[in-house]
Amino acid sequence: MSTQERPPSGPPRKEDRQYFATAAKGTEGALRDELRELRMPKVRAARGGVGFAGGPEHAMRACLRSRIALRVLESVASFRAASSDSLYEGTAAVDWRRWIDHTGTVAVSATEKDSVFGHTGFIAQRIKDAVVDRLRRETGDRPDVDRTDPDLHIVARIVNDSVELFVDFAGEPLSRRGYRTEAGEAPVRETLAAAILRLSGFTPGRPVVDPMCGSGTFPIEAAMWAEGVPAGGRKSFGFQRWQGFDSHARALWQTECERAQQFANPVPTSVRGSDRDGEMIRIARANAERAGVAPEFTARALADLDRPEPETLFVLNPPYGKRIAQDQRAYADLARFLDRAAGYTVAVLSADLWLPRVLSCRADSEHTLFNGDVECRLYRWNPS
Ligand SMILES: C[S@@+](CC[C@H](N)C(=O)[O-])C[C@H]1O[C@@H](n2cnc3c(N)ncnc32)[C@H](O)[C@@H]1O
C-alpha cells in the first residue's frame, strides 16, 4: 500500500491543489455557479459539493466569500486500505506537522460507503491514533483531541477500499456566520438561505420580501449579497490556526481580504422582512445589525401585507411541525396570499411534501433540498 501525499508546503505551483467545497444536498448547482462567479479554477459540481483546483488563496476566497459552501476541504492524501492496519499506515505516512504540532488540537470526521470498516466512529478513531502517534514520534509529545473547536479538522472519505483524507480550511462550518445569536422556531441555515435566494432567481437589484421572516435569515442574506458584504467577514477560519499559516500564506489572505472589499460592488436593492410576531422582528433587527446590514423589518401579518413593486420575489419558510393547528392557519393565510400574488414570484421552502395539494395550488417548479437531515422542497409559483 502506498500513500500518495500531495506536494509539501511552500509556495505551490499554480493550480495544483485539489479542493472540495461541501454544500447541502440539492444546492450543488447553485454553489457551482457561485464559485464560477468568484473565479475559482476548474469548478465541477459533484454529489454533496463542488470541486475546484488552485492555490490556497482560492480555498481562502471560498471561505471568505462563498455564501453557499458549508466547508472547504483540501485533499491531502489518497490510498487504498482494506484493513485497520493499512488505514493506520496510510494516515501515518502523511506529514501532519504541515498543519499542527504537539501543542495543537485535532478532530477527525469520517464517511464511508461499502468499506470493510462499516463503522465511521472506528475509522475516525484509527485515523486519529495514526495522526497522534506520528506527531508524538516526531515531537516527543501528543496533540490533544478537541471535538468542538480543533485547530485541525481532518475529514476522511472511504468508498470501498479507497481512502481520501482532507484538511478543513473552514474549521467551524461556514453556515455559522456569527450574526445569528438569537433565533425563533425552525430557522433556516444561513448557507441554505443563500442557496435558496439564488435558486429562486434573486440577484442584487431585485426587490425581495420575506413575509414570515422569523429571525430574518432570508432578508439578511439577501442584503449581505446585494451590498457585497463577504459572507465570512465576521469569522475566523481553521486555516488561520495552522503551522502552515506563515508569512506567505498571511500575504495571500491579506490580498483576498482586500479583493473582497475592492469587488464588493453594492447594488441598491429593496430588501424587506415581516412577521406577525413582534419579538421576532426585534430579533431579526438585532441579527441584521450584527451582520452589518439594514433590511426593512416590520411587525405585520401576511394578510396585511402591502402590494410591493412589480418583479418582487417573495421568499419564505412557513411554520411546519408539531403545532399542526397553527400550521393550518399559516397555510390558510398562504393560500389566500398566493391568490393575490399575480405578477410576483413566490418561493416557499417547506418540509411538507404535500404543500401544493394542501394549498390547492400546483407549483410551477419544485426543487428537492435538505435542511440538515430534513428533506424539503423549494416550491416556486409565478401566479399570473
Ligand atoms: C419557520 S419560521 C421562519 C424562520 C425564518 N426563515 C428564519 O430563518 O428564522 C415561520 C415564521 O412565520 C411566522 N408566521 C406564521 N404565520 C404568519 C402569518 N400569518 N403572518 C406573518 N408571519 C407568520 C412565525 O411567527 C414564524 O416566525
Side-chain angles (χ1 to χ4, degrees), residues 180 182-190 193 210-219 274-278 280 287 300-304 315-320 323 326-327 329-331 333-334 349:
R180 200 169 67 190
E182 295 176 272
E185 57 167 317
V188 60
R189 272 193 192 161
E190 294 89 325
D210 177 353
M212 293 190 178
C213 71
S215 55
T217 320
F218 285 121
S274 50
D275 198 291
R276 67 172 173 204
D277 182 345
M280 291 317 305
N287 287 338
R300 182 170 295 166
L302 186 63
D304 302 331
V315 61
L316 60 144
N317 70 309
Y320 173 79
R323 293 186 291 166
Q326 194 187 342
D327 294 348
R329 229 176 61 211
Y331 285 2
D333 290 346
L334 192 53
L349 174 75

mmCIF file of all heavy atoms in Angstrom, residues 180 182-190 193 210-219 274-278 280 287 300-304 315-320 323 326-327 329-331 333-334 349, ligand 1:
data_model
loop_
_atom_site.group_PDB
_atom_site.id
_atom_site.type_symbol
_atom_site.label_atom_id
_atom_site.label_comp_id
_atom_site.label_asym_id
_atom_site.label_seq_id
_atom_site.Cartn_x
_atom_site.Cartn_y
_atom_site.Cartn_z
ATOM 1 N N ARG A 180 -26.199 35.390 13.768
ATOM 2 C CA ARG A 180 -27.494 34.923 14.282
ATOM 3 C C ARG A 180 -27.313 34.349 15.680
ATOM 4 O O ARG A 180 -27.275 33.143 15.874
ATOM 5 C CB ARG A 180 -28.100 33.901 13.332
ATOM 6 C CG ARG A 180 -29.592 33.783 13.560
ATOM 7 C CD ARG A 180 -30.253 32.996 12.491
ATOM 8 N NE ARG A 180 -29.872 31.610 12.505
ATOM 9 C CZ ARG A 180 -30.172 30.734 11.557
ATOM 10 N NH1 ARG A 180 -30.851 31.119 10.507
ATOM 11 N NH2 ARG A 180 -29.807 29.488 11.643
ATOM 12 N N GLU A 182 -29.480 35.001 18.026
ATOM 13 C CA GLU A 182 -30.825 34.716 18.526
ATOM 14 C C GLU A 182 -31.655 34.218 17.348
ATOM 15 O O GLU A 182 -31.504 34.702 16.234
ATOM 16 C CB GLU A 182 -31.501 35.987 19.042
ATOM 17 C CG GLU A 182 -30.858 36.611 20.248
ATOM 18 C CD GLU A 182 -31.571 37.918 20.602
ATOM 19 O OE1 GLU A 182 -31.174 38.953 20.055
ATOM 20 O OE2 GLU A 182 -32.518 37.870 21.387
ATOM 21 N N ALA A 183 -32.548 33.271 17.619
ATOM 22 C CA ALA A 183 -33.413 32.760 16.540
ATOM 23 C C ALA A 183 -34.736 32.315 17.135
ATOM 24 O O ALA A 183 -34.861 32.119 18.343
ATOM 25 C CB ALA A 183 -32.732 31.605 15.814
ATOM 26 N N GLY A 184 -35.737 32.145 16.274
ATOM 27 C CA GLY A 184 -37.028 31.633 16.723
ATOM 28 C C GLY A 184 -37.124 30.169 16.377
ATOM 29 O O GLY A 184 -36.122 29.452 16.371
ATOM 30 N N GLU A 185 -38.324 29.733 16.021
ATOM 31 C CA GLU A 185 -38.504 28.312 15.691
ATOM 32 C C GLU A 185 -38.015 28.048 14.260
ATOM 33 O O GLU A 185 -38.156 28.901 13.383
ATOM 34 C CB GLU A 185 -39.983 27.920 15.802
ATOM 35 C CG GLU A 185 -40.850 28.782 14.920
ATOM 36 C CD GLU A 185 -42.267 28.250 14.745
ATOM 37 O OE1 GLU A 185 -42.447 27.045 14.549
ATOM 38 O OE2 GLU A 185 -43.177 29.078 14.787
ATOM 39 N N ALA A 186 -37.424 26.878 14.045
ATOM 40 C CA ALA A 186 -37.040 26.381 12.731
ATOM 41 C C ALA A 186 -36.371 27.417 11.829
ATOM 42 O O ALA A 186 -36.821 27.649 10.707
ATOM 43 C CB ALA A 186 -38.278 25.814 12.030
ATOM 44 N N PRO A 187 -35.294 28.058 12.307
ATOM 45 C CA PRO A 187 -34.609 28.986 11.402
ATOM 46 C C PRO A 187 -33.911 28.196 10.300
ATOM 47 O O PRO A 187 -33.452 27.083 10.529
ATOM 48 C CB PRO A 187 -33.574 29.667 12.303
ATOM 49 C CG PRO A 187 -33.315 28.707 13.406
ATOM 50 C CD PRO A 187 -34.581 27.908 13.585
ATOM 51 N N VAL A 188 -33.860 28.774 9.106
ATOM 52 C CA VAL A 188 -33.192 28.091 8.009
ATOM 53 C C VAL A 188 -31.699 28.430 8.108
ATOM 54 O O VAL A 188 -31.334 29.530 8.493
ATOM 55 C CB VAL A 188 -33.836 28.511 6.661
ATOM 56 C CG1 VAL A 188 -33.732 29.992 6.426
ATOM 57 C CG2 VAL A 188 -33.282 27.759 5.502
ATOM 58 N N ARG A 189 -30.844 27.427 7.842
ATOM 59 C CA ARG A 189 -29.395 27.697 7.905
ATOM 60 C C ARG A 189 -29.013 28.816 6.962
ATOM 61 O O ARG A 189 -29.533 28.895 5.849
ATOM 62 C CB ARG A 189 -28.623 26.447 7.452
ATOM 63 C CG ARG A 189 -28.348 25.504 8.555
ATOM 64 C CD ARG A 189 -27.320 24.508 8.076
ATOM 65 N NE ARG A 189 -27.244 23.433 9.020
ATOM 66 C CZ ARG A 189 -26.732 22.246 8.773
ATOM 67 N NH1 ARG A 189 -26.230 21.975 7.598
ATOM 68 N NH2 ARG A 189 -26.703 21.331 9.695
ATOM 69 N N GLU A 190 -28.035 29.611 7.374
ATOM 70 C CA GLU A 190 -27.636 30.778 6.587
ATOM 71 C C GLU A 190 -27.189 30.385 5.177
ATOM 72 O O GLU A 190 -27.539 31.042 4.182
ATOM 73 C CB GLU A 190 -26.488 31.518 7.292
ATOM 74 C CG GLU A 190 -26.881 32.151 8.627
ATOM 75 C CD GLU A 190 -26.706 31.228 9.834
ATOM 76 O OE1 GLU A 190 -26.929 30.002 9.703
ATOM 77 O OE2 GLU A 190 -26.364 31.727 10.916
ATOM 78 N N ALA A 193 -30.193 29.392 3.156
ATOM 79 C CA ALA A 193 -30.962 30.586 2.773
ATOM 80 C C ALA A 193 -30.327 31.257 1.555
ATOM 81 O O ALA A 193 -31.020 31.653 0.606
ATOM 82 C CB ALA A 193 -31.034 31.564 3.945
ATOM 83 N N ASP A 210 -39.515 38.766 2.585
ATOM 84 C CA ASP A 210 -39.859 37.541 3.318
ATOM 85 C C ASP A 210 -40.974 37.906 4.288
ATOM 86 O O ASP A 210 -40.730 38.583 5.297
ATOM 87 C CB ASP A 210 -38.631 37.001 4.070
ATOM 88 C CG ASP A 210 -38.991 35.762 4.894
ATOM 89 O OD1 ASP A 210 -40.185 35.420 4.989
ATOM 90 O OD2 ASP A 210 -38.062 35.128 5.447
ATOM 91 N N PRO A 211 -42.215 37.483 4.001
ATOM 92 C CA PRO A 211 -43.339 37.907 4.846
ATOM 93 C C PRO A 211 -43.523 37.032 6.091
ATOM 94 O O PRO A 211 -44.469 37.258 6.853
ATOM 95 C CB PRO A 211 -44.535 37.774 3.897
ATOM 96 C CG PRO A 211 -44.145 36.688 2.945
ATOM 97 C CD PRO A 211 -42.640 36.684 2.849
ATOM 98 N N MET A 212 -42.681 36.008 6.282
ATOM 99 C CA MET A 212 -42.697 35.215 7.530
ATOM 100 C C MET A 212 -41.243 35.085 7.980
ATOM 101 O O MET A 212 -40.686 34.000 8.068
ATOM 102 C CB MET A 212 -43.296 33.826 7.275
ATOM 103 C CG MET A 212 -44.767 33.827 6.931
ATOM 104 S SD MET A 212 -45.408 32.139 6.941
ATOM 105 C CE MET A 212 -47.137 32.441 6.565
ATOM 106 N N CYS A 213 -40.605 36.216 8.269
ATOM 107 C CA CYS A 213 -39.139 36.260 8.276
ATOM 108 C C CYS A 213 -38.494 35.699 9.527
ATOM 109 O O CYS A 213 -37.275 35.505 9.558
ATOM 110 C CB CYS A 213 -38.650 37.682 8.022
ATOM 111 S SG CYS A 213 -38.966 38.776 9.414
ATOM 112 N N GLY A 214 -39.271 35.442 10.598
ATOM 113 C CA GLY A 214 -38.666 34.893 11.815
ATOM 114 C C GLY A 214 -37.441 35.706 12.216
ATOM 115 O O GLY A 214 -37.499 36.940 12.328
ATOM 116 N N SER A 215 -36.293 35.013 12.367
ATOM 117 C CA SER A 215 -35.076 35.711 12.816
ATOM 118 C C SER A 215 -34.391 36.473 11.690
ATOM 119 O O SER A 215 -33.300 37.013 11.890
ATOM 120 C CB SER A 215 -34.106 34.718 13.445
ATOM 121 O OG SER A 215 -33.841 33.663 12.551
ATOM 122 N N GLY A 216 -34.987 36.489 10.496
ATOM 123 C CA GLY A 216 -34.533 37.403 9.434
ATOM 124 C C GLY A 216 -33.497 36.834 8.478
ATOM 125 O O GLY A 216 -32.874 37.591 7.739
ATOM 126 N N THR A 217 -33.323 35.515 8.457
ATOM 127 C CA THR A 217 -32.202 34.950 7.692
ATOM 128 C C THR A 217 -32.270 35.304 6.202
ATOM 129 O O THR A 217 -31.253 35.710 5.619
ATOM 130 C CB THR A 217 -32.143 33.419 7.865
ATOM 131 O OG1 THR A 217 -32.435 33.101 9.221
ATOM 132 C CG2 THR A 217 -30.771 32.883 7.505
ATOM 133 N N PHE A 218 -33.448 35.155 5.573
ATOM 134 C CA PHE A 218 -33.522 35.459 4.127
ATOM 135 C C PHE A 218 -33.222 36.938 3.850
ATOM 136 O O PHE A 218 -32.360 37.240 3.011
ATOM 137 C CB PHE A 218 -34.891 35.074 3.542
ATOM 138 C CG PHE A 218 -35.089 33.595 3.336
ATOM 139 C CD1 PHE A 218 -36.137 32.924 3.962
ATOM 140 C CD2 PHE A 218 -34.250 32.864 2.502
ATOM 141 C CE1 PHE A 218 -36.330 31.556 3.772
ATOM 142 C CE2 PHE A 218 -34.428 31.499 2.305
ATOM 143 C CZ PHE A 218 -35.476 30.842 2.948
ATOM 144 N N PRO A 219 -33.892 37.873 4.538
ATOM 145 C CA PRO A 219 -33.563 39.284 4.253
ATOM 146 C C PRO A 219 -32.104 39.627 4.558
ATOM 147 O O PRO A 219 -31.472 40.378 3.807
ATOM 148 C CB PRO A 219 -34.516 40.069 5.177
ATOM 149 C CG PRO A 219 -35.644 39.135 5.441
ATOM 150 C CD PRO A 219 -35.066 37.752 5.434
ATOM 151 N N SER A 274 -41.046 40.726 7.155
ATOM 152 C CA SER A 274 -42.090 40.997 8.144
ATOM 153 C C SER A 274 -42.492 39.686 8.811
ATOM 154 O O SER A 274 -42.234 38.594 8.282
ATOM 155 C CB SER A 274 -43.300 41.697 7.506
ATOM 156 O OG SER A 274 -43.715 41.016 6.349
ATOM 157 N N ASP A 275 -43.091 39.812 9.966
ATOM 158 C CA ASP A 275 -43.532 38.647 10.722
ATOM 159 C C ASP A 275 -44.651 39.142 11.631
ATOM 160 O O ASP A 275 -44.606 40.289 12.085
ATOM 161 C CB ASP A 275 -42.369 38.077 11.543
ATOM 162 C CG ASP A 275 -42.617 36.646 12.004
ATOM 163 O OD1 ASP A 275 -43.499 36.445 12.879
ATOM 164 O OD2 ASP A 275 -41.940 35.729 11.494
ATOM 165 N N ARG A 276 -45.617 38.276 11.902
ATOM 166 C CA ARG A 276 -46.710 38.755 12.760
ATOM 167 C C ARG A 276 -46.266 38.851 14.218
ATOM 168 O O ARG A 276 -46.920 39.492 15.026
ATOM 169 C CB ARG A 276 -47.917 37.830 12.631
ATOM 170 C CG ARG A 276 -47.664 36.467 13.188
ATOM 171 C CD ARG A 276 -48.910 35.634 13.220
ATOM 172 N NE ARG A 276 -48.525 34.293 13.613
ATOM 173 C CZ ARG A 276 -49.209 33.226 13.328
ATOM 174 N NH1 ARG A 276 -50.308 33.311 12.617
ATOM 175 N NH2 ARG A 276 -48.796 32.046 13.730
ATOM 176 N N ASP A 277 -45.119 38.232 14.529
ATOM 177 C CA ASP A 277 -44.634 38.195 15.905
ATOM 178 C C ASP A 277 -43.609 39.315 16.123
ATOM 179 O O ASP A 277 -42.500 39.273 15.574
ATOM 180 C CB ASP A 277 -44.009 36.810 16.144
ATOM 181 C CG ASP A 277 -43.495 36.627 17.559
ATOM 182 O OD1 ASP A 277 -43.359 37.634 18.276
ATOM 183 O OD2 ASP A 277 -43.203 35.473 17.927
ATOM 184 N N GLY A 278 -43.979 40.323 16.913
ATOM 185 C CA GLY A 278 -43.113 41.491 17.135
ATOM 186 C C GLY A 278 -41.766 41.118 17.748
ATOM 187 O O GLY A 278 -40.759 41.774 17.481
ATOM 188 N N MET A 280 -40.050 38.470 17.094
ATOM 189 C CA MET A 280 -39.174 38.005 16.012
ATOM 190 C C MET A 280 -38.577 39.201 15.254
ATOM 191 O O MET A 280 -37.435 39.154 14.808
ATOM 192 C CB MET A 280 -39.929 37.097 15.022
ATOM 193 C CG MET A 280 -40.346 35.748 15.570
ATOM 194 S SD MET A 280 -39.098 34.889 16.564
ATOM 195 C CE MET A 280 -37.724 34.820 15.478
ATOM 196 N N ASN A 287 -30.081 40.761 14.700
ATOM 197 C CA ASN A 287 -29.212 39.905 13.873
ATOM 198 C C ASN A 287 -28.655 40.693 12.685
ATOM 199 O O ASN A 287 -27.471 40.580 12.351
ATOM 200 C CB ASN A 287 -29.991 38.679 13.364
ATOM 201 C CG ASN A 287 -30.246 37.660 14.469
ATOM 202 O OD1 ASN A 287 -29.543 37.635 15.481
ATOM 203 N ND2 ASN A 287 -31.242 36.807 14.280
ATOM 204 N N ARG A 300 -45.908 42.530 11.041
ATOM 205 C CA ARG A 300 -47.137 42.566 10.224
ATOM 206 C C ARG A 300 -47.526 41.136 9.837
ATOM 207 O O ARG A 300 -46.648 40.315 9.521
ATOM 208 C CB ARG A 300 -46.870 43.371 8.961
ATOM 209 C CG ARG A 300 -48.045 43.534 8.052
ATOM 210 C CD ARG A 300 -47.760 44.523 6.961
ATOM 211 N NE ARG A 300 -47.559 45.870 7.466
ATOM 212 C CZ ARG A 300 -47.036 46.864 6.760
ATOM 213 N NH1 ARG A 300 -46.635 46.662 5.530
ATOM 214 N NH2 ARG A 300 -46.907 48.062 7.285
ATOM 215 N N ALA A 301 -48.827 40.852 9.844
ATOM 216 C CA ALA A 301 -49.288 39.528 9.410
ATOM 217 C C ALA A 301 -49.305 39.477 7.883
ATOM 218 O O ALA A 301 -49.438 40.512 7.215
ATOM 219 C CB ALA A 301 -50.682 39.253 9.963
ATOM 220 N N LEU A 302 -49.186 38.291 7.358
ATOM 221 C CA LEU A 302 -49.159 38.091 5.908
ATOM 222 C C LEU A 302 -50.378 38.721 5.232
ATOM 223 O O LEU A 302 -50.277 39.334 4.166
ATOM 224 C CB LEU A 302 -49.123 36.571 5.648
ATOM 225 C CG LEU A 302 -48.961 36.066 4.243
ATOM 226 C CD1 LEU A 302 -47.637 36.499 3.648
ATOM 227 C CD2 LEU A 302 -49.034 34.534 4.232
ATOM 228 N N ALA A 303 -51.544 38.587 5.902
ATOM 229 C CA ALA A 303 -52.787 39.091 5.308
ATOM 230 C C ALA A 303 -52.770 40.608 5.154
ATOM 231 O O ALA A 303 -53.506 41.158 4.328
ATOM 232 C CB ALA A 303 -53.973 38.664 6.190
ATOM 233 N N ASP A 304 -51.929 41.291 5.942
ATOM 234 C CA ASP A 304 -51.927 42.762 5.917
ATOM 235 C C ASP A 304 -50.822 43.364 5.064
ATOM 236 O O ASP A 304 -50.574 44.573 5.102
ATOM 237 C CB ASP A 304 -51.771 43.307 7.358
ATOM 238 C CG ASP A 304 -52.871 42.818 8.262
ATOM 239 O OD1 ASP A 304 -53.982 42.561 7.749
ATOM 240 O OD2 ASP A 304 -52.606 42.647 9.467
ATOM 241 N N VAL A 315 -39.867 35.245 -0.663
ATOM 242 C CA VAL A 315 -39.199 34.001 -0.291
ATOM 243 C C VAL A 315 -39.454 33.770 1.193
ATOM 244 O O VAL A 315 -39.333 34.686 2.000
ATOM 245 C CB VAL A 315 -37.696 34.039 -0.671
ATOM 246 C CG1 VAL A 315 -36.956 35.141 0.025
ATOM 247 C CG2 VAL A 315 -37.015 32.716 -0.412
ATOM 248 N N LEU A 316 -39.862 32.553 1.532
ATOM 249 C CA LEU A 316 -40.259 32.306 2.918
ATOM 250 C C LEU A 316 -40.236 30.824 3.250
ATOM 251 O O LEU A 316 -40.283 29.986 2.354
ATOM 252 C CB LEU A 316 -41.673 32.853 3.175
ATOM 253 C CG LEU A 316 -42.821 32.297 2.336
ATOM 254 C CD1 LEU A 316 -44.084 32.199 3.165
ATOM 255 C CD2 LEU A 316 -43.073 33.183 1.124
ATOM 256 N N ASN A 317 -40.111 30.534 4.551
ATOM 257 C CA ASN A 317 -40.436 29.190 5.009
ATOM 258 C C ASN A 317 -41.463 29.273 6.126
ATOM 259 O O ASN A 317 -41.192 29.816 7.196
ATOM 260 C CB ASN A 317 -39.199 28.349 5.365
ATOM 261 C CG ASN A 317 -38.471 28.782 6.600
ATOM 262 O OD1 ASN A 317 -38.145 29.948 6.727
ATOM 263 N ND2 ASN A 317 -38.210 27.863 7.478
ATOM 264 N N PRO A 318 -42.673 28.796 5.832
ATOM 265 C CA PRO A 318 -43.750 28.890 6.822
ATOM 266 C C PRO A 318 -43.507 27.910 7.957
ATOM 267 O O PRO A 318 -42.702 26.997 7.833
ATOM 268 C CB PRO A 318 -45.006 28.502 6.022
ATOM 269 C CG PRO A 318 -44.525 27.800 4.819
ATOM 270 C CD PRO A 318 -43.096 28.164 4.592
ATOM 271 N N PRO A 319 -44.195 28.086 9.085
ATOM 272 C CA PRO A 319 -44.013 27.153 10.191
ATOM 273 C C PRO A 319 -44.423 25.755 9.759
ATOM 274 O O PRO A 319 -45.315 25.592 8.929
ATOM 275 C CB PRO A 319 -44.974 27.667 11.277
ATOM 276 C CG PRO A 319 -45.575 28.907 10.772
ATOM 277 C CD PRO A 319 -45.230 29.084 9.345
ATOM 278 N N TYR A 320 -43.723 24.787 10.296
ATOM 279 C CA TYR A 320 -44.058 23.411 9.964
ATOM 280 C C TYR A 320 -43.673 22.554 11.145
ATOM 281 O O TYR A 320 -42.636 22.782 11.750
ATOM 282 C CB TYR A 320 -43.283 22.932 8.732
ATOM 283 C CG TYR A 320 -43.476 21.465 8.470
ATOM 284 C CD1 TYR A 320 -44.639 21.014 7.856
ATOM 285 C CD2 TYR A 320 -42.537 20.531 8.884
ATOM 286 C CE1 TYR A 320 -44.839 19.658 7.651
ATOM 287 C CE2 TYR A 320 -42.731 19.179 8.680
ATOM 288 C CZ TYR A 320 -43.884 18.755 8.073
ATOM 289 O OH TYR A 320 -44.086 17.422 7.875
ATOM 290 N N ARG A 323 -46.878 21.960 15.820
ATOM 291 C CA ARG A 323 -48.087 22.716 16.164
ATOM 292 C C ARG A 323 -49.013 22.805 14.949
ATOM 293 O O ARG A 323 -49.133 23.825 14.284
ATOM 294 C CB ARG A 323 -47.691 24.086 16.682
ATOM 295 C CG ARG A 323 -46.957 23.934 18.008
ATOM 296 C CD ARG A 323 -46.671 25.238 18.638
ATOM 297 N NE ARG A 323 -45.674 26.000 17.907
ATOM 298 C CZ ARG A 323 -45.447 27.278 18.112
ATOM 299 N NH1 ARG A 323 -46.143 27.943 18.985
ATOM 300 N NH2 ARG A 323 -44.511 27.907 17.435
ATOM 301 N N GLN A 326 -51.615 25.613 14.330
ATOM 302 C CA GLN A 326 -51.019 26.882 13.919
ATOM 303 C C GLN A 326 -50.546 26.807 12.467
ATOM 304 O O GLN A 326 -50.695 27.758 11.698
ATOM 305 C CB GLN A 326 -49.854 27.207 14.843
ATOM 306 C CG GLN A 326 -49.423 28.648 14.683
ATOM 307 C CD GLN A 326 -48.162 28.942 15.461
ATOM 308 O OE1 GLN A 326 -47.781 28.201 16.358
ATOM 309 N NE2 GLN A 326 -47.515 30.011 15.108
ATOM 310 N N ASP A 327 -49.975 25.633 12.096
ATOM 311 C CA ASP A 327 -49.533 25.460 10.708
ATOM 312 C C ASP A 327 -50.709 25.639 9.764
ATOM 313 O O ASP A 327 -50.601 26.269 8.727
ATOM 314 C CB ASP A 327 -48.971 24.048 10.477
ATOM 315 C CG ASP A 327 -47.698 23.831 11.262
ATOM 316 O OD1 ASP A 327 -47.166 24.815 11.779
ATOM 317 O OD2 ASP A 327 -47.259 22.680 11.337
ATOM 318 N N ARG A 329 -53.347 27.349 10.120
ATOM 319 C CA ARG A 329 -53.714 28.754 9.988
ATOM 320 C C ARG A 329 -52.735 29.453 9.043
ATOM 321 O O ARG A 329 -53.127 30.212 8.174
ATOM 322 C CB ARG A 329 -53.695 29.425 11.365
ATOM 323 C CG ARG A 329 -54.951 30.216 11.603
ATOM 324 C CD ARG A 329 -55.014 30.808 12.978
ATOM 325 N NE ARG A 329 -53.924 31.735 13.242
ATOM 326 C CZ ARG A 329 -53.394 31.936 14.458
ATOM 327 N NH1 ARG A 329 -53.830 31.256 15.474
ATOM 328 N NH2 ARG A 329 -52.421 32.812 14.627
ATOM 329 N N ALA A 330 -51.431 29.132 9.227
ATOM 330 C CA ALA A 330 -50.418 29.744 8.356
ATOM 331 C C ALA A 330 -50.654 29.310 6.902
ATOM 332 O O ALA A 330 -50.495 30.097 5.979
ATOM 333 C CB ALA A 330 -49.022 29.344 8.812
ATOM 334 N N TYR A 331 -51.054 28.057 6.703
ATOM 335 C CA TYR A 331 -51.299 27.554 5.345
ATOM 336 C C TYR A 331 -52.500 28.254 4.711
ATOM 337 O O TYR A 331 -52.489 28.579 3.524
ATOM 338 C CB TYR A 331 -51.546 26.045 5.364
ATOM 339 C CG TYR A 331 -50.297 25.218 5.578
ATOM 340 C CD1 TYR A 331 -49.057 25.808 5.782
ATOM 341 C CD2 TYR A 331 -50.357 23.833 5.561
ATOM 342 C CE1 TYR A 331 -47.927 25.055 5.980
ATOM 343 C CE2 TYR A 331 -49.215 23.061 5.756
ATOM 344 C CZ TYR A 331 -47.998 23.683 5.969
ATOM 345 O OH TYR A 331 -46.880 22.929 6.163
ATOM 346 N N ASP A 333 -53.506 31.231 5.414
ATOM 347 C CA ASP A 333 -53.027 32.589 5.073
ATOM 348 C C ASP A 333 -52.217 32.552 3.782
ATOM 349 O O ASP A 333 -52.339 33.423 2.923
ATOM 350 C CB ASP A 333 -52.128 33.136 6.189
ATOM 351 C CG ASP A 333 -52.907 33.463 7.457
ATOM 352 O OD1 ASP A 333 -54.150 33.514 7.387
ATOM 353 O OD2 ASP A 333 -52.266 33.647 8.514
ATOM 354 N N LEU A 334 -51.386 31.508 3.655
ATOM 355 C CA LEU A 334 -50.510 31.390 2.489
ATOM 356 C C LEU A 334 -51.337 31.158 1.217
ATOM 357 O O LEU A 334 -51.057 31.748 0.161
ATOM 358 C CB LEU A 334 -49.540 30.226 2.730
ATOM 359 C CG LEU A 334 -48.355 30.071 1.802
ATOM 360 C CD1 LEU A 334 -47.536 31.354 1.705
ATOM 361 C CD2 LEU A 334 -47.447 28.925 2.310
ATOM 362 N N LEU A 349 -39.934 27.417 0.982
ATOM 363 C CA LEU A 349 -39.225 26.219 1.451
ATOM 364 C C LEU A 349 -40.115 25.541 2.479
ATOM 365 O O LEU A 349 -40.573 26.182 3.427
ATOM 366 C CB LEU A 349 -37.915 26.606 2.129
ATOM 367 C CG LEU A 349 -37.172 25.416 2.770
ATOM 368 C CD1 LEU A 349 -36.511 24.553 1.702
ATOM 369 C CD2 LEU A 349 -36.141 25.886 3.788
HETATM 370 C C1 LIG B 1 -40.311 28.742 10.345
HETATM 371 S S1 LIG B 1 -40.394 30.377 10.899
HETATM 372 C C2 LIG B 1 -39.388 31.256 9.728
HETATM 373 C C3 LIG B 1 -37.948 31.116 10.064
HETATM 374 C C4 LIG B 1 -37.077 32.099 9.328
HETATM 375 N N1 LIG B 1 -36.946 31.800 7.908
HETATM 376 C C5 LIG B 1 -35.701 32.145 9.982
HETATM 377 O O1 LIG B 1 -34.707 31.758 9.335
HETATM 378 O O2 LIG B 1 -35.626 32.485 11.168
HETATM 379 C C6 LIG B 1 -42.003 30.879 10.414
HETATM 380 C C7 LIG B 1 -42.367 32.291 10.875
HETATM 381 O O3 LIG B 1 -43.647 32.585 10.292
HETATM 382 C C8 LIG B 1 -44.315 33.475 11.180
HETATM 383 N N2 LIG B 1 -45.766 33.447 10.805
HETATM 384 C C9 LIG B 1 -46.635 32.401 10.892
HETATM 385 N N3 LIG B 1 -47.833 32.748 10.398
HETATM 386 C C10 LIG B 1 -47.722 34.028 9.979
HETATM 387 C C11 LIG B 1 -48.614 34.943 9.344
HETATM 388 N N4 LIG B 1 -49.862 34.600 9.072
HETATM 389 N N5 LIG B 1 -48.151 36.176 9.029
HETATM 390 C C12 LIG B 1 -46.856 36.531 9.298
HETATM 391 N N6 LIG B 1 -45.982 35.706 9.932
HETATM 392 C C13 LIG B 1 -46.386 34.462 10.232
HETATM 393 C C14 LIG B 1 -43.996 32.924 12.548
HETATM 394 O O4 LIG B 1 -44.142 33.938 13.549
HETATM 395 C C15 LIG B 1 -42.546 32.446 12.384
HETATM 396 O O5 LIG B 1 -41.631 33.426 12.836
#
